[in-house]
Amino acid sequence: RTPVGRRAPPVHLSTRAQWKDTAETVIIGGGCIGVSLAYHLAKAGMKDVVLLEKSELTAGSTWHAAGLTTYFHPGINLKKIHYYSIKLYEDLEEETGQAVGFHQPGSIRIASTPTRVDELKYQMTRGRWHPNPQYLVGPEKVKELFPLINMDKVLAGLYNPGDGHIDPYSLTMALAAGARKYGAQLYFPAQVNNLIPQIDGTWNVETPHGTIKANRIVNATGFWAREVGKLIGIPHPLIPVHHQYVVTATIPEVKSLKKEFPVLRDLEGSYYLRQERDGLLFGPYESQEKMKLQESWVTDGVPPGFGKELFESDLDRIMDHVEAAMEMVPVLKNADIINIVSGPITYTPDILPMVGPHQGVRNYWVAIGFGYGIIHAGGVGKFLSDWILGREPPFDLIELDPNRYGKWTSTRYTALKARESYGFNNIVGYPKEERFGGRPTERVSGIYDILKTQCSMGFHAGWEQPHWLYKPGDDVEYKPSFRRTNWFEPVRREYKQVMERVGVIDLTPFGKFTVKGRDAVNLLDHVFANTIPKVGFTNISHMLTPKGRVYAELTVSHVLPGEFLLVTGSGSELHDLRWLEEAAVHCKHNVEIANVTDETGVLGVAGPLARDVLQKLTAVDLSDDTFKFLQSKKITLAGIDVLAIRISYTGELGWELYHRREDTAALYEWIMLAGQEQGIDNFGTYAMNALRMEKAFRAWGAEMNCDTNPLEAGLHYFIKLNKPADFIGKQALKRIKDEGLKRKLVYLTLETDNVDPEGNESIWYNGQVIGNTTSGTYSYSTNQSLAFAYVPVDLSKIGQKLEVELLGKHYPATVTKEPLVLTEPTRNRMKNQEGGTKL
């Protein structure tokens, strides 16, 4: 090892700049992702940006990529990443003087079944409230745009003008030229041999040329990311996939066209096809049974010299797709193949990259696992640069959070899931989709074995959790749909169970942390906008970003003086824990923060008879006078120690029961036994969603996230601007309040037929898209569809008429006073005041 400040013997580097011993940010990896981040950080004004590449720029996956660029993404904010990338690439040549080879003939996704047409309509309503250009076109327009297509199966197309392809090598070189222009240093060959964390949160980055002391490091090393992660003890869940594409010789019919035709994506055939000079380039995604993983790189490591090499091609593996493409584009039948490229593309289990700071290691950031690195490079470079410089994500992208994976993400799971994700690349994208590869993981609750044959399980951060429960006579197959499907009536049954009797739900997947120590109260007062609950009580609190947006929502229980239990949603576990830990370090608070998610089970018991059932199992008085709403107590139920919190996301009388995970099965069986007289039964998360929406309860990740402030989300009750503590985001929120809101969250009732809103659909008014839904469901109490939505303030008044687009049709919607159904505590209060019950 070379000590900090000492130079090793000089080795030629591809830069005229002098070697730096210190850096604000060291980026490891010289593919398009890493170089884009260097460009964006330097352009934004960061001094001392250093990029280290072990061989040469673009080595790895960048140089052999097919270079596709598209505005389309089925997700929500990843559309922003795609949009920014394309706009950047359009101007990059002018800015840097480096040609990028950007072709923008557009692209068409082909629907050849009625279900695919529904899918395109579903994506249209999710896309209209974004600036990305996107149109649903009929067969005639498809033929006009792509004259070589066989129209026999074409029912419709999703057309994105401005899509196309770019030369990955030229793109990376242009970004590198820009990075150098703005002051970044790009060193190569410069292999990172070791990463040594320092007590002050900085890093010593050891290379053959010397050691650089960096304030932060960013792993952007593509298929080398696992090797770099191992240097600091993090086994990133990544696996290389063999992706092949075929290039043909000149095809006369292609050469004779007056202009380049759009990139074609045949969804049923599962391939893309584009023009390559006067021939075609064709890339399939084979089924999970036929696709190939490079598993030896996971077990044995990447071969040390692998950089600009390829795998051996295998045309037989993709022949089904070749035949489908020949049927759709008949000129392929007579084309000569001149090249088959088979190279490594790195996949995460769910196909989405891992982008952002990593929990558990200070100042270690990642930008890895890119299956589509070319279209993501520009936008992710900008996103990460803004986050690093602004201390908060510029918008919500929790689906890319590297902390969505954890210790449960085994190598076996990663391989099985990546195989499934690759094979499902063009599968129909239904709402509420479930994928079953690699399940279950080690994260199963104590009642998984009891319930697994009785319900449709959903997957939540490694956990299995019941979505809906089966009864004799139910159709129990997995039948995803864009319309109401086989779970619609069973969920009505569960809804009634909770509203009329008592139900039990497994809530073990919640993220759960304990916070204690001398400064515990001060830390929580600083990170939460709500006041700290008194000992023995619980409240709902929000962590805000410095700009006043909602980073997280948690329940905070003050269990003992200075000891707290914090609970968050399953998908936010390490996302929220990282924020808490970072705040504690930044403020030098003396606290102990422990993640107790895996060791703590949770059962929810809710409904008007919940008290009657639980009272049979404890000597503690559960009456309303003694065990108040939002109170928390350590009690025993059937001899089992639990922390009982009187709270329920259903809005009905209920308790959440926190206990040792090994006690879950026994506790559940005692509760079910005690509730026989009351007709107790299970309920799942679909019924929970209907119940919470009728009570107008917001959900983090839908009604609120890093795109929203708590005032527009209607969270005023939980935000205490007048509390003494200067909590994170307080000053920004005061400015937002003074300036006034531009949009508001409203509660909509809809007149629909066999379809319900899901969230992220377009809202129309006077022929214009003016907002979007955030959540949706069916109200089983009022027999109508229900949604939350963001609309301009002047369209937010009660009674305002709007329209919601679902599957290509505009349904009437009305802004309605919330809630549709009053919560149990509110009903009780009104009953005491008025002497009667009111729903």
Side-chain angles (χ1 to χ4, degrees):
R1 294 180 185 174
T2 307
V4 176
R6 292 271 302 279
R7 300 267 310 273
V11 177
H12 171 70
L13 290 171
S14 286
T15 174
R16 289 184 296 276
Q18 190 175 354
W19 179 261
K20 297 173 78 78
D21 291 326
T22 60
E24 179 68 23
T25 300
V26 166
I27 301 159
I28 310 167
C32 59
I33 302 291
V35 177
S36 173
L37 178 55
Y39 161 85
H40 281 95
L41 283 172
K43 186 175 181 179
M46 180 179 283
K47 308 300 181 189
D48 297 328
V49 177
V50 172
L51 181 145
L52 303 174
E53 162 54 44
K54 71 188 292 289
S55 56
E56 58 182 300
L57 300 185
T58 77
S61 294
T62 297
W63 74 274
H64 64 74
L68 298 178
T69 55
T70 177
Y71 281 115
F72 176 85
H73 194 279
I76 299 307
N77 278 349
L78 269 166
K79 290 180 174 67
K80 294 182 180 179
I81 296 289
H82 288 215
Y83 184 87
Y84 177 87
S85 289
I86 288 176
K87 294 305 177 189
L88 172 69
Y89 302 166
E90 286 174 347
D91 298 333
L92 199 56
E93 185 171 336
E94 183 180 342
E95 180 186 350
T96 65
Q98 172 86 37
V100 295
F102 195 17
H103 296 244
Q104 293 184 273
S107 79
I108 314 172
R109 285 170 170 75
I110 299 297
S112 52
T113 68
T115 299
R116 289 291 188 184
V117 176
D118 275 351
E119 181 182 24
L120 300 191
K121 290 176 179 176
Y122 177 69
Q123 290 301 338
M124 281 304 300
T125 189
R126 291 164 68 84
R128 287 194 207 275
W129 53 283
H130 293 266
N132 304 32
Q134 184 167 290
Y135 304 94
L136 186 63
V137 297
E140 300 80 10
K141 184 67 174 177
V142 171
K143 182 69 173 176
E144 177 192 326
L145 291 166
F146 199 106
L148 301 180
I149 198 167
N150 172 7
M151 297 299 295
D152 288 353
K153 293 183 178 178
V154 176
L155 299 179
L158 197 71
Y159 174 50
N160 291 96
D163 282 11
H165 54 98
I166 195 166
D167 175 46
Y169 179 85
S170 299
L171 168 65
T172 307
M173 293 304 161
L175 289 167
R180 292 189 184 104
K181 172 183 170 182
Y182 297 117
Q185 307 296 327
L186 278 57
Y187 297 141
F188 54 94
Q191 179 167 320
V192 171
N193 294 330
N194 214 349
L195 296 167
I196 311 296
Q198 305 300 297
I199 198 162
D200 62 354
T202 61
W203 289 87
N204 285 356
V205 182
E206 298 182 353
T207 82
H209 315 292
T211 298
I212 304 175
K213 187 175 183 66
N215 287 345
R216 75 185 55 76
I217 55 175
V218 184
N219 181 351
T221 54
F223 57 67
W224 292 94
R226 282 182 65 92
E227 316 295 307
V228 173
K230 283 178 187 173
L231 294 176
I232 56 174
I234 296 179
H236 292 305
L238 301 165
I239 194 163
V241 169
H242 288 232
H243 180 62
Q244 299 187 104
Y245 62 82
V246 175
V247 182
T248 76
T250 295
I251 299 172
E253 294 89 341
V254 175
K255 187 173 184 178
S256 67
L257 293 173
K258 291 184 173 62
K259 63 177 182 178
E260 183 176 350
F261 54 73
V263 178
L264 187 77
R265 289 178 172 85
D266 179 0
L267 301 176
E268 285 295 299
S270 192
Y271 63 84
Y272 56 83
L273 182 147
R274 68 167 175 84
Q275 193 168 330
E276 175 72 3
R277 297 186 175 85
D278 292 330
L280 296 173
L281 184 152
F282 157 83
Y285 290 92
E286 33 312 17
S287 69
Q288 56 184 309
E289 293 79 22
K290 291 189 175 182
M291 63 83 69
K292 189 173 181 182
L293 300 172
Q294 191 63 26
E295 295 184 68
S296 66
W297 287 13
V298 176
T299 54
D300 306 330
V302 182
F306 200 99
K308 284 202 167 181
E309 291 74 25
L310 292 169
F311 297 133
E312 190 175 336
S313 60
D314 182 0
L315 193 58
D316 289 343
R317 205 168 74 231
I318 61 174
M319 275 312 294
D320 291 349
H321 304 275
V322 172
E323 288 166 6
M326 286 176 173
E327 185 181 356
M328 186 66 79
V329 186
V331 297
L332 258 179
K333 292 177 182 175
N334 301 317
D336 293 326
I337 294 173
I338 58 171
N339 197 11
I340 304 175
V341 175
S342 178
I345 303 290
T346 308
Y347 264 42
T348 62
D350 64 7
I351 218 171
L352 294 173
M354 299 165 65
V355 176
H358 210 286
Q359 185 272 330
V361 193
R362 288 173 65 191
N363 298 315
Y364 173 65
W365 295 63
V366 296
I368 55 180
F370 288 86
Y372 315 97
I374 305 304
I375 185 56
H376 287 153
V380 164
K382 171 70 168 156
F383 178 82
L384 270 183
S385 171
D386 287 353
W387 190 347
I388 288 168
L389 292 164
R391 297 194 304 118
E392 65 179 88
F395 49 87
D396 177 69
L397 265 184
I398 194 172
E399 62 266 43
L400 304 193
D401 189 347
N403 307 300
R404 67 188 185 273
Y405 300 116
K407 293 173 184 173
W408 56 270
T409 317
S410 65
T411 301
R412 175 183 176 275
Y413 172 84
T414 299
L416 288 170
K417 211 69 186 171
R419 184 174 288 281
E420 177 188 61
S421 295
Y422 186 88
F424 281 5
N425 204 288
N426 288 298
I427 199 172
V428 176
Y430 290 107
K432 294 184 169 64
E433 181 193 24
E434 283 296 318
R435 296 186 176 184
F436 301 98
R439 295 168 56 182
T441 72
E442 66 184 41
R443 281 190 144 180
V444 292
S445 84
I447 56 173
Y448 170 75
D449 286 333
I450 298 171
L451 294 180
K452 66 183 179 183
T453 59
Q454 301 178 37
C455 70
S456 174
M457 286 283 184
F459 187 76
H460 301 274
W463 295 97
E464 301 289 330
Q465 186 176 32
H467 276 169
W468 63 279
L469 284 298
Y470 308 149
K471 294 292 182 193
D474 288 345
D475 178 357
V476 301
E477 286 186 49
Y478 172 61
K479 290 187 173 178
S481 176
F482 295 105
R483 295 173 172 79
R484 292 174 191 160
T485 184
N486 57 331
W487 53 259
F488 183 76
E489 289 302 329
V491 171
R492 183 194 300 273
R493 181 175 64 218
E494 294 171 33
Y495 170 90
K496 290 181 69 177
Q497 176 72 35
V498 175
M499 290 297 290
E500 296 173 6
R501 293 186 292 278
V502 56
V504 180
I505 185 169
D506 186 1
L507 300 174
T508 300
F510 280 161
K512 302 164 283 269
F513 323 124
T514 57
V515 180
K516 59 184 178 181
R518 190 181 69 208
D519 296 331
V521 171
N522 289 337
L523 170 65
L524 300 186
D525 214 16
H526 176 63
V527 298
F528 287 120
N530 206 344
T531 50
I532 304 303
K534 297 174 184 174
V535 177
F537 282 87
T538 296
N539 71 13
I540 294 167
S541 294
H542 299 85
M543 295 196 292
L544 307 183
T545 70
K547 292 179 182 172
R549 293 179 295 190
V550 187
Y551 186 83
E553 178 182 76
L554 300 92
T555 56
V556 179
S557 298
H558 202 158
V559 182
L560 294 169
E563 287 192 24
F564 298 86
L565 175 69
L566 275 52
V567 180
T568 187
S570 57
S572 310
E573 176 193 344
L574 300 181
H575 169 271
D576 295 2
L577 180 61
R578 186 198 66 81
W579 189 266
L580 274 169
E581 289 172 338
E582 200 168 274
V585 169
H586 182 72
C587 296
K588 297 183 172 64
H589 284 312
N590 184 348
V591 292
E592 292 175 42
I593 303 172
N595 186 355
V596 295
T597 299
D598 285 343
E599 62 206 62
T600 309
V602 193
L603 295 176
V605 182
L609 304 180
R611 181 181 285 116
D612 298 347
V613 173
L614 295 178
Q615 191 64 78
K616 297 177 188 180
L617 301 174
T618 184
V620 175
D621 184 358
L622 302 182
S623 66
D624 200 47
D625 292 338
T626 308
F627 206 137
K628 295 179 171 59
F629 179 57
L630 293 179
Q631 207 164 356
S632 55
K633 294 183 182 183
K634 290 186 174 181
I635 66 172
T636 59
L637 285 172
I640 297 168
D641 291 334
V642 305
L643 174 68
I645 304 175
R646 193 174 151 198
I647 192 172
S648 175
Y649 202 35
T650 66
E652 295 303 305
L653 173 65
W655 280 263
E656 289 175 1
L657 307 171
Y658 293 78
H659 55 274
R660 295 189 314 161
R661 189 167 154 200
E662 54 266 40
D663 290 336
T664 302
L667 181 62
Y668 172 82
E669 286 172 357
W670 277 111
I671 291 168
M672 297 306 278
L673 189 65
Q676 282 186 348
E677 181 188 345
Q678 284 76 22
I680 198 168
D681 211 341
N682 300 290
F683 70 105
T685 57
Y686 288 178
M688 173 89 91
N689 187 55
L691 288 155
R692 73 97 183 168
M693 283 204 64
E694 285 191 347
K695 307 302 195 306
F697 291 165
R698 279 74 170 147
W700 192 89
E703 284 69 57
M704 55 182 133
N705 56 24
C706 288
D707 297 330
T708 59
N709 69 64
L711 304 182
E712 65 188 3
L715 297 171
H716 304 70
Y717 178 80
F718 306 103
I719 307 300
K720 302 299 194 284
L721 284 172
N722 58 355
K723 80 171 187 176
D726 188 22
F727 60 84
I728 298 171
K730 183 177 185 177
Q731 301 311 317
L733 214 50
K734 284 182 174 179
R735 288 193 296 273
I736 291 167
K737 185 178 181 182
D738 290 344
E739 290 167 6
L741 300 177
K742 295 180 176 64
R743 64 172 192 165
K744 280 180 70 175
L745 188 73
V746 296
Y747 200 52
L748 297 177
T749 51
L750 288 79
E751 300 169 29
T752 64
D753 35 52
N754 193 32
V755 60
D756 297 302
E758 289 284 332
N760 300 309
E761 295 98 353
S762 294
I763 308 258
W764 292 77
Y765 178 72
N766 276 355
Q768 300 289 319
V769 174
I770 53 90
N772 62 280
T773 60
T774 56
S775 292
T777 190
Y778 182 79
S779 166
Y780 290 100
S781 69
T782 62
N783 294 310
Q784 60 188 331
S785 294
L786 185 59
F788 276 119
Y790 277 106
V791 300
V793 170
D794 60 350
L795 295 176
S796 66
K797 295 181 178 63
I798 303 299
Q800 176 69 53
K801 300 296 183 184
L802 302 167
E803 293 174 323
V804 177
E805 181 184 345
L806 303 173
L807 296 181
K809 187 175 173 183
H810 292 199
Y811 290 94
T814 305
V815 177
T816 302
K817 184 181 179 183
E818 57 180 77
L820 275 185
V821 178
L822 297 174
T823 64
E824 179 265 346
T826 305
R827 297 199 303 264
N828 271 354
R829 195 165 60 247
M830 293 177 68
K831 182 179 178 181
N832 293 335
Q833 290 169 354
E834 302 171 12
T837 304
K838 182 178 177 183
L839 272 182

